[in-house]
Amino acid sequence: MTVTHIADRRARDELARLMERFARRPRPIHVVKKSAYWHQRAAGAALFAVTFGGQHKYLSHYVTTLGHTIYVPDDFDDWAPTRALEILRHEAVHVAQFERYGWVVMVLFYGVLPLPMGLAWFRARFEWEAYEETLRAVAEVEGLAAARAPALREEIVRRFTGPDYGWMWPFPRTIERWIDEALVKIEGELAQSEPSTPSAEKR
């Protein structure tokens, strides 16, 4: 069995447990198809307009969380379990943010303040909290090497500095530093969670 197959099997089991936890919460988290909701279709059209076509995959490629609902693309059920698990763990952070700050703060600070585009500091910080969990999920499921992969780093930097989130933070070095700090933290967490090897009995 390949490393990929082992990671997928582990992710499939963990994904099932995560969905069970979502359902059993006092306020359940619902995972629904984005295209079925008019407000998500309207949001996709609005984002296409304000980003001058830069964000044209909102409905087909991106996951959005509002309150206790996670809106996913129509092909979500066909995603590899590793991808689905890592993204849902990311989105669960946004659910926790809604619970912590409430709708008014999330809408104002995520969407508007200090600027809706270009220097959206609060949006960047909200997203960074979630992307740190993405890195943690990747490290736990696929291994630290996968979390450190240059392609993943480049993708995260691109998300922060590009049109996906409305150019929310145009300073790639800041994102690079956050990634480096998170990887050190996650590596330490994983080292602490590993079972210690018992010392050999004295003869």
Side-chain angles (χ1 to χ4, degrees):
M1 185 176 291
T2 67
V3 173
T4 300
H5 287 152
I6 294 172
D8 279 347
R9 186 174 64 180
R10 184 185 307 144
R12 188 177 295 107
D13 293 342
E14 181 58 33
L15 179 61
R17 289 192 288 269
L18 180 64
M19 296 298 288
E20 288 177 4
R21 291 197 296 272
F22 281 1
R24 292 176 180 174
R25 295 172 90 255
R27 286 286 305 277
I29 298 174
H30 303 286
V31 180
V32 301
K33 299 299 174 62
K34 180 181 283 191
S35 65
Y37 293 82
W38 70 267
H39 52 82
Q40 289 302 296
R41 297 194 299 272
L47 286 169
F48 181 84
V50 300
T51 61
F52 309 104
Q55 174 51 285
H56 60 280
K57 297 180 178 179
Y58 178 78
L59 289 177
S60 61
H61 288 69
Y62 290 90
V63 179
T64 302
T65 294
L66 295 173
H68 291 80
T69 302
I70 300 174
Y71 299 88
V72 299
D74 288 345
D75 65 349
F76 178 79
D77 294 336
D78 298 326
W79 287 9
T82 49
R83 180 187 180 197
L85 173 63
E86 290 159 6
I87 287 179
L88 287 183
R89 283 183 54 172
H90 173 115
E91 298 302 324
V93 173
H94 292 315
V95 172
Q97 290 168 344
F98 271 96
E99 292 179 334
R100 189 185 316 144
Y101 301 114
W103 274 81
V104 173
V105 169
M106 286 297 291
V107 170
L108 285 177
F109 283 74
Y110 188 98
V112 180
L113 300 176
L115 293 172
M117 297 174 67
L119 289 171
W121 166 252
F122 291 106
R123 186 187 311 150
R125 290 306 302 179
F126 285 140
E127 283 298 339
W128 176 248
E129 186 179 356
Y131 273 100
E132 183 175 326
E133 182 62 16
T134 297
L135 288 170
R136 183 175 290 106
V138 171
E140 290 176 359
V141 176
E142 303 181 59
L144 272 170
R148 294 193 188 104
L152 178 57
R153 173 184 292 262
E154 292 169 5
E155 177 69 6
I156 293 174
V157 172
R158 184 191 67 77
R159 291 279 182 89
F160 276 77
T161 59
D164 290 9
Y165 293 99
W167 299 277
M168 63 184 171
W169 197 246
F171 306 113
R173 289 186 179 179
T174 303
I175 313 306
E176 294 271 3
R177 186 180 73 250
W178 288 350
I179 292 172
D180 290 336
E181 292 171 352
L183 289 172
V184 170
K185 177 181 176 181
I186 291 165
E187 184 174 7
E189 292 171 355
L190 292 178
Q192 289 181 354
S193 67
E194 291 178 355
S196 58
T197 304
S199 58
E201 294 183 1
K202 293 182 179 180
R203 295 180 181 270

